[in-house]
Amino acid sequence: MRNATWTWASGFVTLGFLAANGSADLVGSWSLGSGDDRAEVQIDFMNGNSYLFDLAFDDELSGRDVFDLLSDAANTTSDLTFDFTVISYSFGDFLTGITLNDDADYGEGSPPDYLDTWAYWTAEGGDDWSASMIGFSDRMLVDGSRDAWVFGTGAAPATIPAPATIAVALFVRGDRRRRR
């Protein structure tokens, strides 16, 4: 009983740690494309809902190309609706709005706090997120790239618990029940 209690308590600590670090409500995830290279794209809405896309590709793929890929996929994937708006400038596109299934946010960075806008974050492999210093038209995804879009907070992308973490937490709970 003592060992089961310790295991159960460590499960609560793990879940508490995830919650304290800005875990997101992952409301949808899709695997799209084909090829040997993989990249992830995360979209975090102001209401706390997050979506995750696992993209497979072989040819060059820019951050801007990803939006065309998602838009095309929405035409052939029954549980995915996707639309976006941009303002085009001579130096590239400025993302102003995303609609994804039941979630939508739009903004152009209006005063006074300029937060009603989509912030672009990038990472490679397991590296920490960093605010992108280039626009999504110039960002070229490579195998292991991670891109994220966060609306309205100025904060880094939400932590989405990895499926393995969730499985471990469920195993811990199930392990306790089996030992009775």
Side-chain angles (χ1 to χ4, degrees):
M1 178 68 177
R2 184 176 183 198
N3 192 17
T5 302
W6 172 251
T7 305
W8 184 246
S10 66
F12 274 123
V13 169
T14 301
L15 292 175
F17 174 77
L18 291 171
N21 284 300
S23 293
D25 185 9
L26 181 62
V27 295
S29 64
W30 294 267
S31 293
L32 304 172
S34 62
D36 293 330
D37 294 332
R38 295 260 188 267
E40 287 185 354
V41 175
Q42 178 176 328
I43 300 175
D44 294 347
F45 286 89
M46 186 73 171
N47 65 5
N49 287 346
S50 292
Y51 296 83
L52 186 63
F53 297 91
D54 178 27
L55 306 177
F57 59 98
D58 283 326
D59 298 329
E60 285 190 345
L61 185 68
S62 71
R64 172 64 176 83
D65 293 336
V66 166
F67 281 78
D68 293 328
L69 187 143
L70 297 179
S71 187
D72 291 345
N75 294 326
T76 59
T77 306
S78 63
D79 63 341
L80 175 62
T81 58
F82 183 83
D83 193 21
F84 67 101
T85 56
V86 296
I87 298 174
S88 293
Y89 295 100
S90 60
F91 54 83
D93 290 341
F94 174 60
L95 181 67
T96 55
I98 298 176
T99 300
L100 180 51
N101 289 356
D102 294 331
D103 292 304
D105 280 320
Y106 178 90
E108 298 178 15
S110 303
D113 55 7
Y114 302 96
L115 286 177
D116 67 327
T117 188
W118 285 97
Y120 188 33
W121 295 79
T122 60
E124 302 303 329
D127 293 347
D128 291 337
W129 290 109
S130 62
S132 182
M133 294 293 127
I134 60 172
F136 71 137
S137 297
D138 294 325
R139 160 89 164 147
M140 299 307 296
L141 280 72
V142 297
D143 192 31
S145 289
R146 295 183 300 135
D147 283 15
W149 290 92
V150 179
F151 188 82
T153 66
T159 301
I160 297 177
T165 304
I166 295 169
V168 167
L170 292 175
F171 173 76
V172 167
R173 184 175 181 201
D175 186 48
R176 181 176 183 263
R177 289 185 180 165
R178 281 191 214 113
R179 292 186 180 196
R180 281 187 169 185

